[in-house]
């Protein structure tokens, strides 16, 4: 059988298992890979290529790196003259315009890391953790102009473990997405894709995470939200508050039973850094990092602060 010519659009490490599956599939010919431009990285700020771009280079696949695929007129003309069967998109960080969406014979398909129509947008993994969900999933959808609103062609449910963080869930969903690729390709080849219209009444949204969302305010946030934030925002943007005016990164925390504290109240009598939360529960900040210091246990930090007053605040000036 003649191979299907496809274009893959993606950028981060997360997409590598998926593009590898496509590359290895006997029915697929990756005609082009499109990724974001090289960016400065590290202390020396030397230009570094995205992982997907490196994959293209290592496997001699024609590569386009661009900040806006919709403005690449020469490339679009080449694609119009080529026999592109479909475009696959994952973690690309760019919207595809109508011209591109209508370019391939079979259309454009996006791999989205939620059970659409739940959590449309850039941060579905973080929002699943932030809301304390016990499951999420992978959706492959036919792309339309409206964000993540196209017909669903395939879904796979994935359990979220109690210890899950964004880092571990990203890895899990990357692997599960790759496992779904052969099933998706077989359905296309055999012309057995089924298209399910999304129920707009069930749509919810997961916009990009902002750095300041990692701020913890014990006086107004409950214990469940704080624990969920630690999971959702690890490793980025991380969670923090201020101790005696210095930024304190909260790396690990846990519900502490046996002490009842008012919201924002601190207790160090057990040589643990305990704080009351808005729902009347107590949290121990077990692993922390004070501004300018190395990560450490709360006991180690308290030993270094003996005799000093301790003030935790959601604001630096206090």
């Amino acid at each position: 059988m003649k191979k299907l010519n496809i274009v893959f659009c993606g950028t981060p490490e997360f997409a590598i298992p998926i593009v590898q599956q496509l590359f290895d599939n006997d029915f697929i010919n990756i005609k082009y890979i499109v990724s974001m431009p090289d960016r400065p990285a590290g202390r020396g700020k030397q230009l570094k290529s995205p992982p997907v771009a490196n994959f293209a280079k290592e496997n001699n696949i024609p590569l386009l790196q661009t900040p806006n695929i919709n403005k690449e007129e020469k490339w679009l003309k080449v694609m119009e003259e080529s026999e592109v069967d479909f475009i696959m998109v994952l973690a690309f960080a760019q919207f595809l315009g109508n011209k591109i969406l209508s370019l391939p014979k079979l259309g454009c398909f996006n791999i989205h890391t939620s059970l659409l129509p739940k959590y449309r947008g850039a941060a579905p993994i973080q929002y699943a953790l932030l809301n304390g969900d016990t499951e999420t999933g992978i959706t492959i959808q036919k792309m339309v102009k409206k964000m993540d609103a196209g017909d669903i062609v395939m879904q796979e449910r994935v359990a979220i473990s109690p210890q899950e963080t964004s880092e571990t869930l990203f890895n899990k969903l990357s692997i599960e997405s790759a496992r779904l690729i052969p099933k998706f390709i077989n359905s296309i080849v055999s012309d057995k894709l089924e298209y399910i219209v999304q129920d707009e009444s069930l749509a919810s949204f997961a916009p990009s995470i902002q750095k300041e969302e990692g701020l913890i305010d014990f006086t107004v946030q409950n214990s469940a939200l704080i624990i969920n934030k630690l999971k959702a925002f690890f490793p980025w943007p991380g969670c923090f508050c201020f101790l005696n005016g210095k930024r304190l990164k909260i790396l690990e925390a846990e519900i502490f039973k046996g002490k009842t504290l008012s919201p924002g109240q601190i207790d160090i009598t057990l040589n643990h850094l305990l704080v009351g939360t808005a729902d009347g529960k107590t949290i121990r900040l077990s692993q922390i990092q004070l501004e300018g210091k190395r990560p450490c246990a709360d006991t180690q930090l308290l030993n270094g602060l003996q005799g000093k007053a301790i003030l935790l605040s959601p604001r630096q000036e206090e």
Side-chain angles (χ1 to χ4, degrees), residues 26-72:
D26 292 337
F27 295 112
I28 296 298
N29 172 49
I30 303 180
K31 197 172 187 68
Y32 254 99
I33 282 179
V34 186
S35 191
M36 293 287 278
D38 294 356
R39 291 183 176 176
R43 291 184 178 180
K45 297 297 180 183
Q46 293 184 336
L47 288 178
K48 183 178 181 180
S49 295
V52 170
N54 283 331
F55 181 92
K57 296 172 187 176
E58 291 164 3
N59 292 282
N60 298 313
I61 302 170
L63 170 67
L64 171 68
Q65 290 182 258
T66 175
N68 190 339
I69 188 175
N70 301 290
K71 294 183 177 180
E72 298 292 337

Side-chain angles (χ1 to χ4, degrees), residues 73-86:
E73 296 295 338
K74 291 183 179 179
W75 183 83
L76 289 173
K77 187 170 180 58
V78 171
M79 288 299 100
E80 285 175 352
E81 295 171 353
S82 303
E83 293 185 356
V84 177
D85 292 289
F86 69 89

Side-chain angles (χ1 to χ4, degrees), residues 223 253-261 267 269-270 272-277 280-285:
S223 56
E254 59 196 27
I255 303 294
F256 189 88
K257 297 180 180 179
K259 280 276 186 181
T260 301
L261 303 174
D267 187 292
T269 55
L270 299 175
H272 296 328
L273 185 51
L274 306 179
V275 191
T277 62
K281 294 184 179 180
T282 298
I283 281 184
R284 177 187 175 189
L285 310 184

Side-chain angles (χ1 to χ4, degrees), residues 110-141 147-150 152 154-158 160 169 173 196-207:
N110 170 247
I111 302 174
H112 188 75
T113 49
S114 82
L115 296 172
L116 289 173
K118 193 173 187 180
Y119 300 141
R120 294 176 180 175
I125 293 174
Q126 291 91 334
Y127 272 81
L129 292 168
L130 198 58
N131 291 329
D133 293 355
T134 57
E135 75 167 3
T136 183
I138 307 295
T139 300
I140 301 180
Q141 52 118 8
M147 182 182 64
D148 298 328
I152 295 167
M154 207 160 283
Q155 275 192 336
E156 191 77 26
R157 294 181 179 274
V158 177
I160 299 176
L169 192 52
L173 292 176
I196 301 172
V197 178
Q198 292 190 41
D199 185 343
E200 288 293 323
S201 69
L202 300 177
S204 61
F205 298 91

